[in-house]
Amino acid sequence: VLDTAIQHQIRLTVTKGFNQPWSMAFLPDGGILVTERAGRLRVVRDGVLDPNPIAGMPQVQAQGLAGLMDIALHPRFAENKLIYFTYHKPAAANPTPGNNAGWITLARGRWDGKGIADTRDLFTAIQSGNASRLVFGKDGMVYMSVGTGDPPGAARAQDPNDLAGKVLRLRDDGTVPPDNPFVG
């Protein structure tokens, strides 16, 4: 536990044994869920990394910057135990000729204290090898970033009809809210 000039009582946990950790979500019981880009979800309890990955995660395409990305707890996690995450679904699951990048996907599952159950995809965006982040807003909506792909794809971010290079606003079930600026 540390004190800084700005914040007091900061607890610092140092844990070894991860392979490309990407994101963390803090459980109410003090545990920390950590995504590894290769597709594993891990848990740290009392500063110790459980050697076994969490069961129930989908198959992940991990290459370049693609893989298992961000993780967030539903705002009402204490009631519903829902965990949201972004990952790259393997291209074989949704093939596009000439493109083997994974599909950036928002998914959720129910945490049972040991694993994830009822995992399902909520929204699949585009094929891209870039990272994705997510956060719940104060409005209860999920905000999910979608990368642009390779540097030539950066121009796609300027096209309002293309999901590349955007922050998407979605309901917690993955549907599009009717009051989004570009619905339809």
Side-chain angles (χ1 to χ4, degrees):
V1 177
L2 305 170
D3 283 332
T4 69
I6 299 171
Q7 181 68 42
H8 300 289
Q9 302 295 307
I10 295 173
R11 186 172 59 131
L12 178 67
T13 301
V14 178
T15 305
K16 295 181 180 182
F18 289 108
N19 179 7
Q20 295 182 308
W22 192 268
S23 182
M24 300 183 295
F26 297 89
L27 295 167
D29 67 3
I32 306 169
L33 294 174
V34 181
T35 63
E36 292 180 323
R37 194 187 60 78
R40 290 176 300 276
L41 179 60
R42 309 291 296 277
V43 65
V44 175
R45 290 192 174 97
D46 297 320
V48 178
L49 174 65
D50 187 324
N52 300 309
I54 300 295
M57 296 300 289
Q59 182 180 358
V60 173
Q61 182 164 333
Q63 69 183 56
L65 290 178
L68 180 57
M69 299 279 102
D70 213 355
I71 187 165
L73 305 182
H74 189 280
R76 292 188 321 273
F77 177 81
E79 300 164 29
N80 62 27
K81 305 297 186 214
L82 292 176
I83 294 177
Y84 289 70
F85 56 93
T86 55
Y87 77 103
H88 288 82
K89 179 189 289 234
N94 207 348
T96 296
N99 190 347
N100 66 352
W103 289 77
I104 298 175
T105 302
L106 171 67
R108 79 174 177 203
R110 192 170 311 280
W111 176 247
D112 67 9
K114 296 179 184 174
I116 304 283
D118 305 323
T119 302
R120 68 183 186 105
D121 295 342
L122 299 178
F123 185 85
T124 298
I126 61 169
Q127 279 186 286
S128 172
N130 282 50
S132 175
R133 292 290 188 178
L134 72 111
V135 67
F136 277 89
K138 290 181 180 183
D139 59 359
M141 299 293 175
V142 177
Y143 291 82
M144 171 186 170
S145 67
V146 177
T148 59
D150 295 328
R156 295 173 60 192
Q158 303 305 313
D159 182 352
N161 295 312
D162 191 333
L163 295 179
K166 307 294 188 298
V167 175
L168 307 179
R169 179 177 177 258
L170 303 167
R171 291 183 177 134
D172 68 353
D173 64 359
T175 59
V176 178
D179 60 342
N180 271 4
F182 297 102
V183 172

